[in-house]
Amino acid sequence: MLIPRQPAPALAVDTLAHGRFDLSTASPERFTLVCFYRGLHCPLCATYLKELERLVPEFASRGVETIAISSDGQSRAAEMAEKIGAEALRIGYGLALETARAWGLYISASRGKTSIGIEEPALFSEPGVFLIRSDGTIYYLSVQSMPFVRPSFAEMVAALDFVIKSQYPARGEFTGAV
């Protein structure tokens, strides 16, 4: 179980246009927003990533670097980047399922072609959104077992204004007996 205020698991993937991403060497002013998405086969992911692409400048103005990552290979990741018009959003690919599991992501098995006619990979990870502090600790996490009902990036931008202004601490950190 991942715990806020504790170190994030290792994460290193290739990206389409920004070289290799390694969380351990990331140096955001405040946070790295890591958005794990299901892959090219998921129409909800495309809509979700379009919203993130649109808001990348808002996150950047708050000291937050962004990356979207899936277990898709390079060609499928490139198709997704084209589909969402990715210019500012880093797109990572080739997420190992063992790494996905270390991040607490759920793994699903293929059910064939999706509603948009694209074959699901044999195995792939379900969505998750994380804010990782510049010191490498987990600030926020949300993991889904389904493709729908994900955190709103617009609400996250607004929440960051409060978080930054009030130096709001990560919550959910208590691990003692209850």
Side-chain angles (χ1 to χ4, degrees), residues 95-114:
L95 176 69
L97 294 178
E98 296 84 4
T99 302
R101 203 154 274 146
W103 279 80
L105 301 180
Y106 293 94
I107 307 297
S108 289
S110 177
R111 294 180 44 91
K113 288 189 177 180
T114 62

Side-chain angles (χ1 to χ4, degrees), residues 38 42 44-45 106 108 124-128 143-150:
R38 301 172 82 221
C42 179
L44 295 173
C45 291
Y106 293 94
S108 289
F124 58 92
S125 64
E126 292 294 339
V143 175
Q144 287 76 47
S145 63
M146 299 292 274
F148 36 82
V149 190
R150 302 183 199 188

